[in-house]
Amino acid sequence: MAKETLNEDLITGQQTYVSLDNTIGSMVLDGKRHKKNWYVMLGIAFMLLNGFMLAVGWLLYQGVGVWGNNVPTGWAFDIINFVWWIGIGHAGTLISAILLLVRQQWRNSINRFAEAMTLFAVLCAAQYPLLHTGRPWVAAYWLMPYPNIMGLWPQFRSPLIWDVFAVTTYALVSILFWFVGLIPDLATLRDKSTNKIGQKIFGFLSLGWRGSMKHWHRYEQAYLLLAGLSTPLVLSVHTIVSYDFAMSIVPGWNVTVFPPYFVAGAVFAGFAMVLLIGLPLRAWYGLKDMITMKHIDWMCKIMLATGLIVFYGYFLEVFYAYYSANPAEISLAEWRFYGPYSPAYWALIICNGIIPQLLWVPKFRRNLPLVFIVCLFISVGMWLERFVIIPMSLMKNYLPASDRFYYPTIVDFTMFFGTIGLFFFMMWLFIRFLPVINMFEMKDLLFKQNLKKEKEAEEKQEAGVH
Amino acid sequence: MFHRSAPKAYGVVAEFDSPELLIAAAKKTREAGYKKLDAYTPFPIHGLVDAVGFKDEKVPWIVFMGGIVGATAGYLLQYYTSVIDYPLNVGGKPLNSVPMFFPVTYECTILFASFGAFLGMLALNKLPQPYHGVFNTPNFERASQDKFFLAVEANDTQFDEVETKKFMESLDANNVSLVKESPGVEE
């Protein structure tokens, strides 16, 4: 077995195939690697999850009146949180699909947990469209085209039904992509596992994967094609989410900049979440050799770039409002600047526009606590962005007589924090029971880096001879 | 486990330490005239498929067909529901509102194509297959970790339990073994 040092950029330390497998695989196979931190985080998440259950129970018992939604603010926390979660999910697909297509090998160590993050974020997002109908089991025929006895079909000219198709497709394709990536790793765990139950479960899940060269050949084709399909999918999902707004005539919503600005915002929020999970993970589980400073540096740069696009979007919104010369649009812009909810608007500008500018400085990008705090601000900022766009636009309409103020209720907040609980609960279970880093891709990376090093060494030698 | 007759051979399997050794051995085995080769590795190794002479491009075609089926199904669903089964005038838009039907058609295309990739890959690989003769190879659990295996299958016309094994032993392998289809009379 070759024992060589690796490319210091992507994997550091003296690593072998076995050491990579052990570092990652033992997180699943050896429960002792999970210390107090894991239990504490799982406990907090579980408490929040219980809050979610209570809020949902109360909602189903009483109806959507327990939320702060009113007329004209028919959309509020339900859609804010939906868009926020879907956006967070997008970074996972971006990392796993787009970075794969453009051959960014640094993705190999973060794609697995970013994909898991996508799945759980979409799961959280899906709660809201289902629950905002109040009686989801009665309302199914609004969402899905199934032949019901009323002879009704969904309205396919509405962006809302596009959204259902986009999000359903996104959830299913993300699961496929994630599972396909897991198959060889599950086989590794099956072979490494020393107890009967583990062998049975991983053996079942790995579908009898045996690493045949013929299988790998088709596997790689399928994986690359799934990446190629996920890329236009991820761009279309948030575009269609933004159509929910942009296709309407509500002041502040009817803007053509929404699709690109939403997609950029999604990536921005998603990378912040990847770092919020990745930073503690690498510290607590000794994954610093695999999720290196270089990775963090690159992720910060992506956040900076997408953050600037988002910031540009905020400028454009204001520009469009005044340029349109439409009194409703102008008064909405001023309502955002000076209205009763203006603190939310200015907090948004600070969180998403000003604070991420710190990432220009290389020294700050290497300061991990600072990066963590910036990511927290970005997450809050992206939530505020949706708050500013959704209820703040709906409160003020064309007819001043129909304006009405919106207040969220305690149930709204319990449900929101509840989905955060659901997300982290799933995430920590994932960390315990499945490999957080793609083992076979890491080995592949190790092999390629060894080759590269050898070649460089040879060239050096040759240059020395001549 | 008891067998009335000795189990059939799966083939001769050799274990290697590195992908380079495996590729070199695969090339030699092919030059020696063996056709039914397979290799088992912990991660995909580029160049191996060429060394063994294996090519299969059915998956991309399945994905393509999936995409076409998805696009057609997606559009027809909307056409049937909005034009034939429940024609409803919304703001004077035509019943067959082509641009409005685009997003759902697009999503269905991707959905069906993705399932094509997933199911096509599994079907062509004949997975799930919980049992396979090669699992009887000694040390085979390392095939998913850090060892590289080359197999000459018993259905090769040139295959001979003794001769093939002798040949494989000349290839820098750690270990060469004759592997049976089922465990029991191993080695």
Side-chain angles (χ1 to χ4, degrees):
Chain A
M1 195 170 10
K3 234 190 175 165
E4 280 150 355
T5 47
L6 293 170
N7 186 331
E8 285 167 13
D9 293 343
L10 294 177
I11 315 176
T12 52
Q14 290 273 332
Q15 301 285 356
T16 62
Y17 300 135
V18 172
S19 75
L20 288 177
D21 273 358
N22 285 344
T23 313
I24 305 164
S26 66
M27 285 176 68
V28 179
L29 299 173
D30 181 10
K32 290 198 188 69
R33 277 201 69 193
H34 299 275
K35 303 266 157 54
K36 210 171 101 196
N37 290 332
W38 184 81
Y39 291 96
V40 170
M41 295 305 288
L42 191 78
I44 295 172
F46 185 67
M47 285 196 304
L48 289 172
L49 179 62
N50 279 298
F52 177 72
M53 304 283 194
L54 285 176
V56 171
W58 186 237
L59 171 82
L60 295 180
Y61 181 69
Q62 286 282 2
V64 283
V66 299
W67 288 350
N69 300 23
N70 58 33
V71 176
T73 313
W75 282 5
F77 264 46
D78 42 348
I79 309 294
I80 300 173
N81 299 340
F82 165 74
V83 180
W84 191 67
W85 278 118
I86 285 281
I88 285 173
H90 276 37
T93 322
L94 183 99
I95 290 169
S96 53
I98 300 181
L99 296 185
L100 178 74
L101 291 183
V102 295
R103 301 193 184 281
Q104 294 294 309
Q105 283 177 331
W106 60 278
R107 71 177 263 294
N108 287 7
S109 58
I110 49 173
N111 71 338
R112 172 67 51 69
F113 79 85
E115 282 166 29
M117 196 190 82
T118 298
L119 287 184
F120 305 142
V122 173
L123 177 76
C124 291
Q127 305 303 319
Y128 292 99
L130 290 177
L131 292 169
H132 93 296
T133 59
R135 298 282 181 271
W137 55 94
V138 181
Y141 63 89
W142 297 348
L143 301 174
M144 282 296 158
Y146 83 91
N148 53 73
I149 54 167
M150 291 161 289
L152 292 170
W153 292 107
Q155 176 50 265
F156 284 106
R157 295 180 194 85
S158 159
L160 295 181
I161 199 73
W162 305 347
D163 210 11
V164 172
F165 274 77
V167 172
T168 312
T169 303
Y170 186 49
L172 290 173
V173 174
S174 301
I175 290 173
L176 288 186
F177 199 62
W178 185 65
F179 182 66
V180 169
L182 266 172
I183 293 171
D185 280 3
L186 291 169
T188 308
L189 289 176
R190 170 198 67 200
D191 293 340
K192 282 182 83 74
S193 175
T194 45
N195 73 59
K196 271 268 173 305
I197 301 169
Q199 286 169 349
K200 285 248 160 63
I201 293 173
F202 290 121
F204 176 77
L205 291 174
S206 64
L207 310 176
W209 181 262
R210 55 185 186 270
S212 160
M213 157 209 96
K214 293 172 186 171
H215 291 185
W216 278 120
H217 183 58
R218 298 191 189 100
Y219 177 92
E220 285 208 291
Q221 288 173 340
Y223 198 65
L224 202 62
L225 282 163
L226 278 175
L229 290 164
S230 303
T231 301
L233 175 64
V234 69
L235 298 178
S236 81
V237 171
H238 232 59
T239 302
I240 289 176
V241 169
S242 81
Y243 284 166
D244 290 348
F245 309 101
M247 293 265 167
S248 75
I249 55 163
V250 173
W253 285 7
N254 190 4
V255 200
T256 49
V257 76
F258 264 27
Y261 150 56
F262 266 54
V263 173
V267 174
F268 185 49
F271 269 91
M273 191 57 94
V274 170
L275 280 169
L276 284 180
I277 298 170
L279 290 177
L281 200 63
R282 75 192 279 280
W284 293 346
Y285 290 98
L287 302 176
K288 289 177 184 171
D289 286 341
M290 296 168 208
I291 304 170
T292 62
M293 292 306 282
K294 196 91 186 163
H295 288 95
I296 294 165
D297 193 54
W298 275 328
M299 286 195 264
C300 287
K301 284 177 185 164
I302 292 180
M303 284 200 298
L304 183 60
T306 48
L308 286 171
I309 299 174
V310 171
F311 202 22
Y312 176 66
Y314 301 153
F315 279 112
L316 273 188
E317 274 188 315
V318 177
F319 171 77
Y320 282 145
Y322 285 99
Y323 191 66
S324 70
N326 178 339
E329 295 274 357
I330 295 170
S331 81
L332 179 81
E334 284 170 359
W335 165 260
R336 282 179 181 169
F337 296 156
Y338 316 117
Y341 270 132
S342 64
Y345 183 76
W346 295 113
L348 155 73
I349 297 294
I350 291 168
C351 289
N352 280 359
I354 313 294
I355 289 177
Q357 305 310 320
L358 289 174
L359 300 175
W360 283 102
V361 184
K363 216 170 87 187
F364 292 160
R365 290 200 298 270
R366 305 203 200 329
N367 182 342
L368 299 183
L370 186 75
V371 169
F372 191 83
I373 290 166
V374 170
C375 290
L376 277 178
F377 271 107
I378 292 172
S379 296
V380 174
M382 286 310 291
W383 190 87
L384 286 170
E385 179 195 306
R386 278 66 186 247
F387 183 83
V388 165
I389 291 174
I390 299 162
M392 277 174 73
S393 304
L394 286 169
M395 272 183 255
K396 264 184 90 67
N397 231 305
Y398 292 101
L399 274 179
S402 68
D403 290 359
R404 193 164 157 206
F405 207 71
Y406 164 81
Y407 303 94
T409 64
I410 185 91
V411 181
D412 279 314
F413 280 106
T414 316
M415 242 185 106
F416 171 53
F417 290 112
T419 43
I420 294 179
L422 173 63
F423 177 79
F424 281 102
F425 188 69
M426 300 297 285
M427 207 62 212
W428 293 109
L429 286 184
F430 160 74
I431 288 167
R432 175 66 186 81
F433 292 110
L434 287 169
V436 280
I437 294 179
N438 194 325
M439 297 193 270
F440 86 83
E441 283 188 356
M442 291 304 281
K443 285 184 271 187
D444 188 32
L445 189 64
L446 175 63
F447 171 61
K448 282 180 184 150
Q449 285 184 351
N450 285 348
L451 271 189
K452 203 172 136 198
K453 286 242 154 142
E454 273 170 32
K455 211 178 255 175
E456 277 169 7
E458 260 172 42
E459 272 166 18
K460 240 183 222 167
Q461 230 173 16
E462 265 175 40
V465 170
H466 292 295
Chain B
M1 256 184 220
F2 299 99
H3 292 276
R4 282 207 195 104
S5 55
K8 278 195 306 185
Y10 158 72
V12 173
V13 185
E15 179 195 308
F16 297 92
D17 270 341
S18 77
E20 291 93 337
L21 288 173
L22 175 70
I23 290 177
K27 277 185 184 148
K28 272 189 207 154
T29 315
R30 202 167 136 74
E31 277 160 19
Y34 290 101
K35 298 246 157 51
K36 302 271 181 194
L37 301 182
D38 205 342
Y40 300 90
T41 59
F43 52 86
I45 291 159
H46 299 267
L48 190 58
V49 182
D50 300 324
V52 174
F54 173 76
K55 195 166 187 173
D56 183 4
E57 286 181 349
K58 291 190 204 85
V59 171
W61 283 104
I62 294 172
V63 172
F64 180 66
M65 296 313 291
I68 289 181
V69 171
T72 318
Y75 198 88
L76 286 181
L77 169 73
Q78 299 175 81
Y79 189 86
Y80 172 74
T81 55
S82 318
V83 179
I84 298 167
D85 197 50
Y86 199 96
L88 184 66
N89 185 335
V90 178
K93 293 185 185 91
L95 289 178
N96 183 17
S97 319
V98 180
M100 305 251 123
F101 291 170
F102 184 73
V104 169
T105 311
Y106 182 89
E107 300 299 336
C108 288
T109 311
I110 292 181
L111 182 66
F112 280 60
S114 302
F115 270 94
F118 177 66
L119 297 176
M121 185 271 284
L122 289 186
L124 290 171
N125 285 345
K126 299 201 178 66
L127 293 174
Q129 184 184 358
Y131 184 76
H132 189 271
V134 77
F135 285 127
N136 295 321
T137 311
N139 212 19
F140 193 71
E141 68 278 4
R142 303 288 287 273
S144 66
Q145 300 176 42
D146 64 336
K147 297 287 176 193
F148 304 82
F149 291 79
L150 180 69
V152 175
E153 290 171 2
N155 55 3
D156 192 292
T157 46
Q158 238 179 290
F159 183 81
D160 179 273
E161 295 196 358
V162 181
E163 287 300 313
T164 307
K165 193 171 177 210
K166 206 175 269 173
F167 167 75
M168 298 283 276
E169 273 160 359
S170 69
L171 293 174
D172 279 341
N174 294 350
N175 187 17
V176 178
S177 41
L178 177 67
V179 177
K180 302 286 183 184
E181 279 287 358
S182 50
V185 200
E186 238 288 286
E187 288 179 300

